[in-house]
């Protein structure tokens, strides 16, 4: 009887937690983005990617893109300027490119606007 109760409890736990994790990736993305913090040696870090070496442009995907989106969304005045949130979805599309260009113009100066996240943009994102 104990084994059956344990098995039932385990199955319910897996069903509940497995479903919630699988069905709400944006919830976990939002949680990580909301926890951006300054770290010694890294600077601003939002829980996705600690590096500064990824070269990102429109069409890029993955963890470094999540980090860029979260940094812009949570450590800059992006929302105040645009009255809309930047999606933290790991897809470097036209809206992320526009956000990167805005960041570069606002925080780095007009001579640095290219919509590409390279070493200089990473450095400034970590400092903001």
């Amino acid at each position: 009887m104990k084994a059956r109760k344990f098995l039932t409890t385990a199955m319910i736990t897996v069903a509940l937690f497995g479903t919630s994790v699988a069905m709400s990736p944006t919830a976990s993305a939002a949680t990580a983005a909301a926890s951006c913090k300054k770290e010694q040696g890294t600077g601003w870090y939002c829980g996705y990617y600690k590096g500064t070496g990824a070269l990102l442009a429109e069409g890029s995907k993955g963890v470094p893109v999540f980090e860029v989106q979260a940094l812009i969304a949570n450590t800059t005045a992006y929302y105040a300027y645009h009255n809309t949130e930047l999606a933290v979805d790991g897809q470097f599309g036209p809206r992320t490119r526009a956000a990167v260009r805005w960041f570069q113009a606002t925080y780095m100066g007009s001579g640095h606007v290219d919509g590409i996240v390279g070493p200089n943009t990473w450095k400034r994102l970590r400092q903001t």
Side-chain angles (χ1 to χ4, degrees):
M1 191 65 154
K2 282 186 180 181
R4 185 176 181 173
K5 185 176 180 181
F6 175 78
L7 184 59
T8 302
T9 303
M11 288 175 25
I12 291 171
T13 302
V14 168
L16 288 174
F17 290 108
T19 302
S20 66
V21 171
M23 293 188 66
S24 61
T26 53
S28 60
T31 302
S35 66
C36 296
K37 60 185 184 254
K38 275 220 170 169
E39 291 190 350
Q40 183 122 8
T42 301
W44 280 107
Y45 172 61
C46 297
Y48 299 104
Y49 175 75
K50 284 192 175 185
T52 57
L55 183 63
L56 305 173
E58 194 165 352
S60 297
K61 298 176 185 179
V63 175
V65 178
F66 275 105
E67 184 73 10
V68 167
Q69 292 167 330
L71 286 166
I72 292 173
N74 294 287
T75 66
T76 72
Y78 182 83
Y79 183 83
Y81 278 84
H82 300 283
N83 201 28
T84 187
E85 292 185 19
L86 177 62
V88 180
D89 61 7
Q91 307 288 322
F92 197 125
R95 291 192 65 185
T96 299
R97 182 175 182 272
V100 168
R101 291 178 60 82
W102 169 84
F103 174 83
Q104 290 168 329
T106 304
Y107 291 89
M108 299 172 66
S110 60
H112 297 277
V113 178
D114 61 6
I116 297 170
V117 180
N120 293 331
T121 303
W122 273 114
K123 181 178 178 183
R124 190 64 181 102
L125 280 164
R126 298 287 188 205
Q127 294 173 347
T128 301

